Amino acid sequence: MLSRVADSLYWMSRYLERAENTVRQLDVTMGLMLDTSGTSAETRWQRLIASLGKASRMEWNGDLDAMARTLIFDSLNPAAVTFCINGARENARQVREEISSEQWQRLNRLFHQMHSQHAQAQFRSSINDLLASVVDGIHLFKGVSDTTMIHGQGWQFIRLGRYLERSYATATLLEVYQPELFQVQEQDNSGYQYLELVGLLRCCTSFEAYCQVYTADLSSDRILEFLLLNRDFPHAIRYCVDGIRDAIESIQRSGGRRPPEELTSGIGRLHAMLGYTTIGEILAGDTGAFLHTIREQCMRIHELIYRYYVHYSIQSALAI
Amino acid sequence: MNAGPTEKLAVEVDSLFGDYPLDQAFDEMREANGDVRPHYRALAETLARLPQEELQRRKQSADLSFLTQGITFTVYGRDEGTERIFPYDLLPRLITAQEWDRIERGLTQRITALNLFLRDVYSDAKILSDRVIPRELVYSCKHYRRQMRGLQVPRNVYIAVVGSDLLRLNTGEYVVLEDNLRVPSGVSYMLTNRRVMKRTFPQLFHSYGVRPIEHYAQLLLATLRSLAPEGRPEPNIVLLTPGVFNSAYFEHTYLARQMGIDLVEGRDLVTHDNIVYMRTTDGLKRVDVIYRRVDDDFSDPLVFRADSSLGCGGLFNAYRAGNVTVTNAFGTGLADDKAVYAYVPDMIRYYLNEDPILPNVKTFLLSEEKQRKHVLANLDKLVVKAVGESGGYGMLIGPHSTAMQREEFARQIEANPRNYIAQPTLDFSRAPCLIGNHLEPRHVDLRPYILFGEKVNIVPGGLTRVALEKGSLVVNSSQGGGSKDTWVLEQ
């Protein structure tokens, strides 16, 4: 597969994953703002922006409506949902011959939806409906991708983009939430703490899945354990890392070229961090540093993928 | 007395046309006295029988089909929503087997001669020593590439993919207006038009017995494969596109997908030791045949325009070394220069010793003083064209021009006579189009697509381009033209 095509598919996928993550976190944050918990809208907004990777030009200005509008519709701000969807579509447009017509049509429809008057009207009447329909559009695209595309290298690069973006985003989110998760020492019966925890889980669409594993008894330790170490839940970081490893192995199988030691060991290290550590050990150590290492490893894997599959030097390729 | 079914239908066919004008221009559907031509009768009857609402419904469903398939072309200069649907007309243009036979023989003859001309000019240049074509005309052409001198191209094929433009004069005779020998486009519209039309008029299509064109992509692939460098039995064939901002990008992706080959951009290619590679996730992969949709000028910054970022440095040297086939070859624009065009009938006589089957349009060469004087005195009646342009740019249509435009052109002609030719304003044929809810005649041309590998191959038909604006003579899609499906009949 052409390197440029792999690059486009990878970024198409990352952009969509990012859009979905932003939509979900915005939805949760705006939901939490409805309760008068004593936490100000400004604090919540700052936490949202921090967990989106400290997006620039998103400083709180007191007008929630305008802020939310920017975060959804500003096609010039890299953190905005529309920016991400534009980016995904532009990448898809450059590889039209590689993706299925169904994929293209779904993505094209989502793009046009974001730029329609209808979306603006929906924003004014019911922002929840708007956010839900964006998530729907992305889910449909993912479903169509899985069912209409050959599960070859291109599809693996789509998975790679999705899981890397998700691991990174989840690690960032946990890093931001982590200090306040363990702040509250005595039992808080006001219910606000409960809402915060549900919010965190809903940011990763994992509330129901959590309940199935641990019952509705929410605790910070368990939530952290679930989102970090669960091997069966698609939004848990460990699951995503398994996905990354699997995608790289599949790419290697179909291309017959062995990934470099650096890349396999980088993924292996991340896998071991999550596969052979208990939540007790993580909490006993420096949890923040642990989460930070995960993020750094994700970035490193991204760089190695680029260096090996996309931007390799001609000399190194001819030497093989 | 009751009118029989036949007479009744005849009345309905008449009412179909309303105040449809007929004049000296050839009408594809009707004879001068208003009768429907025999091969158009079944179409006329179908239209007469269809209720108006049904016709509109089919039109809408065809519209939708073009939309969802994303059959678009790119419009320059707007930052958002830069893709537009290519306009088309619902009624097919019909060509009888007899007419087609003549077109096919004529084009085969013409392309064979043009290819021999290119080979000759880039090797011994006998036709110039024999003074059939003036030497200075060839060497002053801006598409002449001295780099091609003495270079052996695979199978001696310079022009593997051609789209010639034909017009039909008021005598009903087909003439060649121009030969597009560089990177002709539009074939994807021919293919998608047919797909949509088959769905829109299935019974009519079936009853007519239309010759198929759907195998074009397969023929193109076979043509490209036949031109692969020797010793490469499983050639890696790619389509080189300028990228997503090119107006024909849809066509590039369409053809690549139909042929199952990679669509590459210049930045995907690298050369090393005169071998072209593409960058893949599995490392560098050797490229054997490049179907080039990038102009000569932009193909290799080391040989042609240095400021181009669309091509690949070193491509021409690899081509010269015979390690990669690039098609069409470089420098083929020489033979579709509009002044060289005037000599194509002479080429046919010179190389093939045959009379041209398809005539040229009368062309005045402005580098010749006598002809130039005549043209300058009659600018209001003639069409003046710049020799190296295409797509309807650099043109003066005398009868539709203002005195100021004529003055401007006269000045340019005096300054650089070699750069212009003039032709009579042609009253070329018209075909009925569905405009709103009735039929109106519009000017049409015909662009058949010719493939030249082991032999010349022409899929029956081609793209009929329509000047959709009333009275307009310009069919180019960049200038408000549309298209029609073209049915070549078995009988």
Side-chain angles (χ1 to χ4, degrees):
Chain A
M1 150 161 285
L2 283 174
S3 299
R4 174 179 54 82
V5 171
D7 182 30
S8 284
L9 293 173
Y10 173 80
W11 274 108
M12 173 186 81
S13 176
R14 280 198 79 154
Y15 272 129
L16 278 180
E17 189 64 32
R18 193 171 294 176
E20 186 186 337
N21 181 49
T22 307
V23 167
R24 250 187 285 111
Q25 293 205 31
L26 176 64
D27 192 27
V28 167
T29 304
M30 293 188 71
L32 286 175
M33 284 178 182
L34 297 176
D35 294 294
T36 48
S37 62
T39 312
S40 71
E42 181 176 0
T43 314
R44 289 200 191 284
W45 185 264
Q46 274 158 356
R47 188 175 66 186
L48 169 67
I49 295 308
S51 35
L52 293 176
K54 297 202 180 66
S56 61
R57 290 185 285 128
M58 286 286 182
E59 294 78 19
W60 179 248
N61 65 5
D63 182 352
L64 178 62
D65 209 48
M67 299 301 305
R69 189 183 291 276
T70 311
L71 191 55
I72 296 171
F73 291 116
D74 190 347
S75 52
L76 296 176
N77 194 316
V81 177
T82 302
F83 181 93
C84 294
I85 288 172
N86 289 355
R89 180 183 181 265
E90 199 48 40
N91 275 293
R93 199 156 87 88
Q94 295 181 33
V95 293
R96 272 287 295 276
E97 79 289 356
E98 291 290 334
I99 58 174
S100 68
S101 307
E102 288 88 345
Q103 278 176 294
W104 169 249
Q105 284 173 22
R106 281 284 16 136
L107 189 50
N108 211 19
R109 210 169 294 177
L110 182 61
F111 167 82
H112 286 303
Q113 183 195 336
M114 291 311 291
H115 291 269
S116 68
Q117 287 303 315
H118 180 68
Q120 297 287 341
Q122 239 181 350
F123 178 84
R124 286 186 294 270
S125 60
S126 163
I127 186 166
N128 298 79
D129 287 353
L130 173 67
L131 297 176
S133 74
V134 175
V135 170
D136 276 353
I138 296 171
H139 284 174
L140 279 168
F141 176 81
K142 286 185 190 166
V144 155
S145 295
D146 287 352
T147 52
T148 63
M149 198 180 173
I150 291 182
H151 287 196
Q153 278 199 10
W155 188 71
Q156 299 295 357
F157 273 99
I158 290 179
R159 285 180 73 205
L160 205 51
R162 179 188 306 163
Y163 289 133
L164 250 176
E165 178 70 27
R166 198 181 286 167
S167 320
Y168 187 81
T170 310
T172 313
L173 178 75
L174 291 177
E175 208 183 327
V176 170
Y177 267 79
Q178 182 267 132
E180 59 181 287
L181 270 183
F182 300 98
Q183 233 172 30
V184 190
Q185 297 301 325
E186 70 271 29
Q187 191 69 28
D188 177 0
N189 286 325
S190 63
Y192 289 125
Q193 173 70 4
Y194 175 81
L195 280 176
E196 290 291 338
L197 294 178
V198 173
L200 174 59
L201 284 169
R202 281 193 48 229
C203 281
C204 306
T205 57
S206 52
F207 178 60
E208 287 167 18
Y210 174 92
C211 294
Q212 279 184 21
V213 177
Y214 298 97
T215 73
D217 184 10
L218 302 187
S219 83
S220 303
D221 304 13
R222 287 174 178 180
I223 289 176
L224 204 58
E225 182 181 33
F226 185 62
L227 291 180
L228 270 175
L229 305 181
N230 191 289
R231 67 164 77 194
D232 300 319
F233 182 64
H235 280 267
I237 296 178
R238 179 170 176 202
Y239 180 97
C240 295
V241 171
D242 285 350
I244 293 168
R245 193 160 77 151
D246 185 58
I248 289 283
E249 279 169 5
S250 302
I251 290 167
Q252 180 207 342
R253 268 200 303 279
S254 64
R257 193 169 171 224
R258 272 184 58 146
E261 203 62 31
E262 279 178 296
L263 181 57
T264 42
S265 68
I267 297 171
R269 194 171 309 138
L270 197 51
H271 179 75
M273 269 175 75
L274 296 161
Y276 303 102
T277 318
T278 62
I279 189 67
E281 286 164 344
I282 294 170
L283 289 173
D286 185 343
T287 317
F290 182 85
L291 291 166
H292 194 74
T293 313
I294 292 178
R295 281 175 59 189
E296 276 181 350
Q297 282 295 323
C298 287
M299 270 194 277
R300 173 115 185 99
I301 291 169
H302 165 83
E303 277 162 22
L304 288 168
I305 287 170
Y306 254 67
R307 200 190 301 163
Y308 186 67
Y309 292 107
V310 184
H311 286 317
Y312 52 81
S313 74
I314 300 162
Q315 283 71 22
S316 71
L318 285 167
I320 294 166
Chain B
M1 200 180 93
N2 286 330
T6 324
E7 290 94 66
K8 190 161 164 250
L9 199 58
V11 172
E12 281 169 2
V13 168
D14 272 349
S15 69
L16 188 68
F17 290 109
D19 51 2
Y20 184 101
L22 282 173
D23 50 29
Q24 72 282 5
F26 187 88
D27 193 278
E28 295 284 340
M29 190 175 195
R30 304 175 77 189
E31 293 178 33
N33 64 8
D35 285 353
V36 175
R37 294 180 193 279
H39 62 288
Y40 268 97
R41 260 175 218 153
L43 173 64
E45 283 165 15
T46 303
L47 289 177
R49 270 198 214 105
L50 272 184
Q52 189 55 241
E53 311 80 66
E54 175 60 14
L55 195 61
Q56 292 301 330
R57 192 195 62 75
R58 290 193 192 187
K59 164 94 177 138
Q60 279 162 10
S61 118
D63 277 344
L64 193 70
S65 179
F66 277 104
L67 248 158
T68 50
Q69 286 184 66
I71 299 163
T72 56
F73 69 101
T74 310
V75 183
Y76 293 103
R78 286 178 62 200
D79 53 353
E80 225 178 295
T82 49
E83 300 141 75
R84 244 187 243 170
I85 304 294
F86 190 62
Y88 73 100
D89 181 68
L90 202 60
L91 309 182
R93 187 244 189 107
L94 309 181
I95 295 177
T96 62
Q98 204 187 353
E99 282 165 22
W100 180 252
D101 177 60
R102 192 177 170 78
I103 294 173
E104 193 172 21
R105 282 185 297 117
L107 287 173
T108 305
Q109 178 195 49
R110 196 175 170 95
I111 297 311
T112 310
L114 281 165
N115 194 63
L116 286 170
F117 168 71
L118 285 164
R119 181 178 152 204
D120 187 19
V121 165
Y122 286 123
S123 52
D124 305 330
K126 287 204 188 79
I127 199 167
L128 306 183
S129 343
D130 290 341
R131 302 194 181 278
V132 177
I133 297 178
R135 207 175 279 276
E136 57 278 12
L137 184 73
V138 168
Y139 294 138
S140 61
C141 174
K142 79 168 180 185
H143 295 294
Y144 175 80
R145 303 277 174 231
R146 61 182 174 76
Q147 296 90 340
M148 289 294 290
R149 277 304 288 271
L151 194 152
Q152 181 81 22
V153 307
R155 285 184 189 274
N156 288 317
V157 171
Y158 285 80
I159 38 176
V161 185
V162 180
S164 289
D165 290 340
L166 307 182
L167 298 179
R168 210 170 180 192
L169 303 182
N170 45 21
T171 52
E173 186 181 34
Y174 286 93
V175 295
V176 180
L177 180 68
E178 58 186 51
D179 308 283
N180 297 293
L181 306 178
R182 284 170 275 171
V183 280
S185 61
V187 74
S188 58
Y189 302 125
M190 170 184 91
L191 295 168
T192 46
N193 274 353
R194 174 59 58 87
R195 249 183 79 181
V196 172
M197 287 303 285
K198 265 185 163 173
R199 257 182 270 160
T200 312
F201 291 114
Q203 286 92 3
L204 185 70
F205 185 87
H206 176 71
S207 70
Y208 257 119
V210 181
R211 292 182 59 187
I213 55 168
E214 284 87 345
H215 55 301
Y216 176 83
Q218 210 186 335
L219 283 177
L220 175 58
L221 185 65
T223 304
L224 297 170
R225 183 168 284 147
S226 75
L227 298 174
E230 294 206 8
R232 304 291 295 171
E234 286 299 321
N236 177 23
I237 303 169
V238 300
L239 193 158
L240 176 63
T241 173
V244 70
F245 297 108
N246 186 267
S247 58
Y249 185 70
F250 163 74
E251 176 155 309
H252 305 160
T253 60
Y254 183 86
L255 286 176
R257 197 168 32 194
Q258 293 280 314
M259 289 191 279
I261 64 175
D262 278 313
L263 179 70
V264 304
E265 295 178 19
R267 57 190 160 126
D268 296 324
L269 300 178
V270 290
T271 55
H272 184 82
D273 272 350
N274 283 344
I275 291 181
V276 181
Y277 298 94
M278 59 186 199
R279 307 176 70 102
T280 77
T281 49
D282 305 324
L284 298 180
K285 187 174 174 196
R286 181 167 170 176
V287 175
D288 300 299
V289 181
I290 299 177
Y291 173 34
R292 173 173 69 104
R293 297 294 299 254
V294 178
D295 283 332
D296 286 5
D297 272 342
F298 299 99
S299 297
D300 183 347
L302 298 179
V303 178
F304 305 113
R305 268 176 65 163
D307 61 344
S308 167
S309 55
L310 300 175
C312 160
L315 176 64
F316 191 84
N317 272 346
Y319 175 65
R320 223 187 141 76
N323 290 332
V324 65
T325 301
V326 179
T327 197
N328 289 346
F330 300 95
T332 55
L334 163 68
D336 69 12
D337 180 287
K338 289 185 170 70
V340 175
Y341 157 88
Y343 290 93
V344 175
D346 296 324
M347 290 176 203
I348 294 172
R349 286 186 208 101
Y350 181 80
Y351 292 114
L352 305 175
N353 205 14
E354 291 172 11
D355 278 324
I357 299 169
L358 291 174
N360 259 12
V361 174
K362 170 144 189 61
T363 302
F364 299 101
L365 296 173
L366 301 184
S367 44
E368 314 227 336
E369 203 189 333
K370 231 175 99 188
Q371 300 191 26
R372 182 168 65 242
K373 278 198 175 134
H374 171 77
V375 168
L376 288 174
N378 293 287
L379 270 185
D380 56 332
K381 300 187 195 74
L382 298 168
V383 177
V384 181
K385 296 174 180 173
V387 293
E389 300 289 334
S390 59
Y393 295 102
M395 232 165 89
L396 173 83
I397 301 181
H400 296 182
S401 64
T402 63
M404 215 162 84
Q405 285 169 330
R406 287 197 293 275
E407 250 169 62
E408 173 61 26
F409 258 79
R411 223 187 349 265
Q412 287 176 19
I413 291 168
E414 299 276 16
N416 185 3
R418 166 66 178 90
N419 198 37
Y420 295 93
I421 53 116
Q423 290 170 338
T425 310
L426 296 173
D427 206 0
F428 55 99
S429 70
R430 291 187 297 214
C433 295
L434 186 69
I435 308 286
N437 56 10
H438 61 285
L439 301 187
E440 279 183 35
R442 291 288 185 267
H443 287 287
V444 293
D445 78 347
L446 176 65
R447 177 179 281 188
Y449 292 94
I450 305 137
L451 296 171
F452 191 173
E454 284 176 42
K455 62 183 184 66
V456 175
N457 243 319
I458 312 175
V459 288
L463 187 68
T464 291
R465 297 189 299 172
V466 188
L468 280 174
E469 244 171 78
K470 195 170 186 170
S472 166
L473 294 170
V474 185
V475 296
N476 305 81
S477 62
S478 45
Q479 320 253 333
S483 74
K484 268 175 176 297
D485 193 15
T486 311
W487 294 3
V488 172
L489 309 181
E490 293 277 9
Q491 297 301 322

